[in-house]
Amino acid sequence: MSGRRVGFCLSDKKRRRMNLDAFAEFCEGHGVEVVEIDLSQPLGAQGPFDVIIHKLSDVIVEAEHNSQSQQLLANFQSYVSAHPSTILLDPLPAMTQLLDRFASYRIMSELHNSLRDWRICSPPYLEIHSATELPSIQQGVTAQNLSFPLICKTRVAHGSLSHEMSLIFSADSLADIRPPCVLQSFVNHGAVLHKVFVVGDRHYCVERPSLKNFPSGPCDRKTIFFNSHQVSKPESSSDLTALDEEMPCLPPPSSEAVAALVRELRAQLGMALFGVDVIINIHTHTLTVIDINIFPGYEGVPQFFSSLLSHIESVLDKHSSAGPQAAGSASSAPSPAAASRLL
Ligand SMILES: Nc1ncnc2c1ncn2[C@@H]1O[C@H](COP(=O)(O)OP(=O)(O)OP(=O)(O)O)[C@@H](O)[C@H]1O
Ligand SMILES: O=P(O)(O)O[C@H]1[C@H](O)[C@H](O)[C@H](OP(=O)(O)O)[C@@H](OP(=O)(O)O)[C@@H]1O
Ligand SMILES: [Mg+2]
């Protein structure tokens, strides 16, 4: 495939983590030119692009309260709207919904029905939109059938603050939450997390450390505050991830069930680059979806570069046989205000 230009719009941190320079080298041998897009400069002069791959989550979240980020997002969206034949991975509306745990947890909760046959579910959860009287939070926890311990996560699902979480062990400790946030039933899963990394029509499962088991039901233990990046990175190891007592190894999630989950989420999200965090309930062995991530790190997936390039080639092949109108549907973007209003 010769003369194809793929633009990347990533934060410096993301560009380094993904090793974009190495990916550019990898693509060179396949006739695909990788171009780093500078969002602060006019995109027209940097194009044209056959495909744009981005992780604009930082900009979208900051656009909520920062006019400079709003302008960057508006520039990007104007370019995308003016170039309908440029394929966007992934469409901004799809990405924007995953920046909001209220939206992504609604998607996860629907899996219970669509994937019932595969015994795939997600834990009961409760949205806390703003500062709320303690009794009404406690009533909401009961009404939604949440069970202690609870895990509390920020509403915003991206960026450094989004990984600050807490484990709550009693109704009185619900005073420790800082809305807007979600409360989710904690599911004992033997301190093993299964990360499912999706690249187009391929997916890869990687095992990671995870939070240890805790006694079920309320207890007078103090709230535990932690950062999720202390818990489930490949090298994570702490009191939070070390099991307090031996337990039999759980079988990994069935590859057929994971394939069914990925198929369903691809259809629901309309995205090609995402991650799903899955745990196995130690009591029911149910495959439990606890998180969906935009353009994750793909750490532990040696096939990432070849899979990404293969996906780029396949969307370009489809596009050249289907004509420019097809790409336009893939890159429809909300207005900057609508994008930031979703958060
Ligand atoms: N409902 C739950 N039951 C049990 N453990 C959970 C639950 N939710 C989260 N965890 C634990 O907390 C960790 C972080 O949760 P989550 O993935 O939602 O946070 P995150 O900040 O979005 O993480 P990342 O962005 O790195 O995927 C998980 O890897 C898992 O160890
Ligand atoms: O271990 P993984 O690849 O899941 O780590 C991801 C993490 O899940 C989140 O997707 C992070 O994105 P943010 O939520 O935007 O922080 C990724 O960070 P990034 O800098 O790679 O985008 C982690 O890689
Ligand atoms: Mg996660």
Side-chain angles (χ1 to χ4, degrees), residues 5 8 28-29 37 116 136 157 159 183 192 281 305 318:
R5 293 187 94 235
F8 275 79
E28 237 175 80
I37 294 173
R116 183 188 303 273
S136 59
L183 294 169
V192 175
N281 183 315
F305 280 7
K318 279 195 197 111

Side-chain angles (χ1 to χ4, degrees), residues 79-149:
Y79 179 85
V80 166
S81 305
H83 298 80
S85 63
T86 295
I87 296 166
L88 193 56
L89 297 180
D90 280 304
L92 278 173
M95 178 171 282
T96 303
Q97 71 179 341
L98 289 188
L99 294 177
D100 178 357
R101 283 196 176 94
F102 291 1
S104 58
Y105 283 31
R106 283 173 211 151
I107 292 169
M108 286 160 44
S109 62
E110 280 148 26
L111 295 172
H112 190 83
N113 296 320
S114 51
L115 295 169
R116 183 188 303 273
D117 299 349
W118 292 99
R119 303 184 70 240
I120 295 174
C121 69
S122 67
Y125 75 99
L126 176 66
E127 298 175 2
I128 310 290
H129 288 246
S130 57
T132 311
E133 294 301 313
L134 190 52
S136 59
I137 298 175
Q138 293 163 340
Q139 282 154 22
V141 165
T142 309
Q144 296 290 89
N145 297 317
L146 275 70
S147 52
F148 287 98

Side-chain angles (χ1 to χ4, degrees), residues 11 13-14 17 55 57 157-160 162-163 195 197 208 229 232-234 277 291 293-299:
S11 67
K13 184 185 94 166
K14 183 65 175 177
R17 285 188 61 138
K55 183 166 187 178
S57 6
H158 158 74
S160 53
S162 70
H163 305 299
K195 278 207 166 290
F197 290 117
R208 289 279 183 82
H229 283 179
S232 291
K233 291 302 176 192
D277 292 348
D291 183 30
N293 291 304
I294 301 161
F295 197 160
Y298 295 94
E299 199 171 349

Side-chain angles (χ1 to χ4, degrees), residues 13 74 85 113 143 145 157 174 212-213 226 234 240 277-278 280-281 303 338:
K13 184 185 94 166
S85 63
N113 296 320
N145 297 317
L174 286 167
K212 66 183 179 182
N213 298 332
F226 68 98
L240 278 180
D277 292 348
V278 168
I280 303 291
N281 183 315
Q303 310 89 332

